[in-house]
Amino acid sequence: MKARPSALLARSLLVLAPLAMLAAALQMNPPLVFVVAFVALIPLAHLVAESTEILAARTGPRIGGLLNATFGTLTEFIVMFALLRAGHTDLLKASIVGSILISLLLTLGAAILFGGISNGMQRFDQQSVGMASTTMILAVVGLMVPTFFSAITQRQQNRIYDPGFQSESVDKISQAVAVILFLLYLLTVVYQLRAREGEELTQKPSRPRDPEQPGWSLGGAIGALMAATLAIAVLGEIISQFVEPFGRSLGVTYLFVGVVIVPVAGAISEMLVCVRMARNNQVNLAISIPMNGAMQVSLFVAPLLVFLSALGPTPLTLSFGVSEVIAVAITVALAAYIAIDGVTSWLEGAQLLALWGMLALWFYFFQPWPHPVS
């Protein structure tokens, strides 16, 4: 079956990856190199999603669910790890927040908006979405505890609050919270795998194969996944090297770059998939994909980065800026409120998009302290 134009466009943009690597090797204009490398991540993220979906379809519901959970945020993790290696911890924390906001506001909002326009009121599985909402609320608490602990500690020392503040107590509480969040993620994966096993035993109809996916063999899908992962790793290093010149050229802070710009590359492919599913009235998948993506970033990616940072000279803490924590809390609260009744309309999608727009403006004009990218 003929592939959709979006898939053809994504595959045609794969040529940008070697162009970005060449531009970086030649030390061309830094903002231009960043833009080319950033755009090159979009088709690679699409390729990761395609190959993972093919692997999931060929390995059965349980293993497939584990693969989706593992590789669902692969692009974001690789880019964030590159930022960690480069020492851009403030930008890294902003990217964690941005990934959560984009999943729950931009991706979910676009899916609900276009799904509602095409189909009117849409109903979804209230139980599974409610569980995801509860988990996200716990994740927000996990961000709040180290942040407020750090703020109180600095206040007691008559310091101006700095999210990058380092102390033994802040490091320890961040690592302890990271362990709790990671264990919660493992329990969530186990629960979801058992739920899929139950669906398999009751012989519910499986999701039809997406005609946009290529007809790869199992070996071809594994090869494509490995090649895309390697290319994303190289581009992540390029982005971490050129992100500061890019931010200075735009005259924006690291908060705007991290929250609004960096997470977009890994989210565009997911957003297009969710919008298409919502328009086809597959609203359960359209809602669960961004919900699970936000959970993976907060419960898996962020704790894993904390663990990896312990091997370096400067541990990463889960102490965020107060504005970042407030933005995540408001976002999760609105997403959870929309999930209460099990029904969505296009207006609720517009409301989610409006909140993302307002928060983007907030981070654009907000001048944090310190601000390494300005």
Side-chain angles (χ1 to χ4, degrees):
M1 187 175 292
K2 187 177 179 180
R4 289 188 174 91
S6 58
L8 294 175
L9 177 61
R11 293 164 199 167
S12 65
L13 289 176
L14 289 172
V15 70
L16 291 177
L19 290 179
M21 298 174 192
L22 178 62
L26 295 176
Q27 293 292 313
M28 297 178 66
N29 180 265
L32 177 62
V33 175
F34 176 89
V35 170
V36 176
F38 177 79
V39 177
L41 283 177
I42 298 173
L44 289 171
H46 182 82
L47 184 60
V48 168
E50 280 188 335
S51 54
T52 303
E53 194 66 32
I54 291 173
L55 291 174
R58 292 178 179 270
T59 54
R62 284 181 290 175
I63 302 300
L66 183 60
L67 288 172
N68 278 322
T70 303
F71 293 104
T73 53
L74 179 63
T75 303
E76 290 92 336
F77 171 74
I78 293 176
V79 173
M80 290 176 187
F81 182 65
L83 294 174
L84 177 65
R85 282 168 43 87
H88 298 308
T89 53
D90 292 297
L91 182 60
L92 167 58
K93 292 179 184 180
S95 299
I96 292 173
V97 171
S99 294
I100 296 172
L101 298 187
I102 281 185
S103 292
L104 296 181
L105 296 180
L106 198 59
T107 302
L108 183 60
I112 293 176
L113 173 65
F114 290 102
I117 291 175
S118 299
N119 303 288
M121 300 288 288
Q122 293 183 294
R123 297 187 178 275
F124 56 88
D125 184 2
Q126 187 176 358
Q127 182 178 0
S128 62
V129 175
M131 182 194 68
S133 301
T134 303
T135 306
M136 283 304 306
I137 292 173
L138 291 174
V140 171
V141 175
L143 300 182
M144 287 182 173
V145 170
T147 298
F148 292 151
F149 178 83
S150 178
I152 293 172
T153 300
Q154 293 179 66
R155 177 61 179 171
Q156 292 173 342
Q157 299 177 7
N158 294 321
R159 293 174 175 267
I160 298 175
Y161 177 65
D162 176 10
F165 174 75
Q166 294 282 343
S167 73
E168 185 178 357
S169 58
V170 174
D171 292 342
K172 287 183 176 179
I173 195 171
S174 294
Q175 292 167 2
V177 169
V179 170
I180 294 173
L181 293 177
F182 190 77
L183 290 176
L184 180 59
Y185 172 77
L186 294 179
L187 293 174
T188 303
V189 171
V190 170
Y191 179 87
Q192 291 177 340
L193 291 178
R194 288 185 174 181
R196 287 188 176 91
E197 182 180 8
E199 292 175 1
E200 185 179 10
L201 290 175
T202 55
Q203 296 182 348
K204 289 187 177 180
S206 60
R207 174 184 163 189
R209 183 180 180 276
D210 193 332
E212 190 169 329
Q213 293 178 359
W216 292 336
S217 63
L218 184 62
I222 294 175
L225 180 60
M226 294 177 61
T229 301
L230 179 61
I232 291 171
V234 175
L235 292 177
E237 293 293 333
I238 294 174
I239 286 175
S240 67
Q241 180 182 354
F242 291 94
V243 63
E244 285 198 47
F246 173 77
R248 286 194 296 267
S249 68
L250 292 183
V252 295
T253 66
Y254 74 90
L255 266 179
F256 184 79
V257 174
V259 173
V260 179
I261 297 178
V262 172
V264 169
I268 287 182
S269 175
E270 182 178 276
M271 187 188 313
L272 294 175
V273 170
C274 292
V275 168
R276 187 173 68 248
M277 287 180 176
R279 294 184 65 182
N280 292 336
N281 216 22
Q282 295 177 299
V283 65
N284 282 329
L285 285 171
I287 292 179
S288 64
I289 287 176
M291 285 279 194
N292 286 329
M295 280 198 303
Q296 287 172 19
V297 169
S298 55
L299 302 183
F300 175 67
V301 173
L304 185 56
L305 290 170
V306 171
F307 302 151
L308 292 174
S309 71
L311 303 176
T314 305
L316 175 69
T317 70
L318 292 179
S319 173
F320 291 77
V322 175
S323 62
E324 298 165 85
V325 173
I326 292 175
V328 173
I330 293 174
T331 296
V332 172
L334 181 58
Y337 182 78
I338 288 178
I340 287 177
D341 56 1
V343 179
T344 64
S345 66
W346 64 266
L347 180 58
E348 289 176 329
Q351 291 168 343
L352 291 172
L353 294 175
L355 178 57
W356 186 82
M358 289 186 286
L359 291 177
L361 287 172
W362 162 259
F363 287 114
Y364 178 79
F365 288 104
F366 184 67
Q367 295 293 324
W369 185 92
H371 44 91
V373 177
S374 59

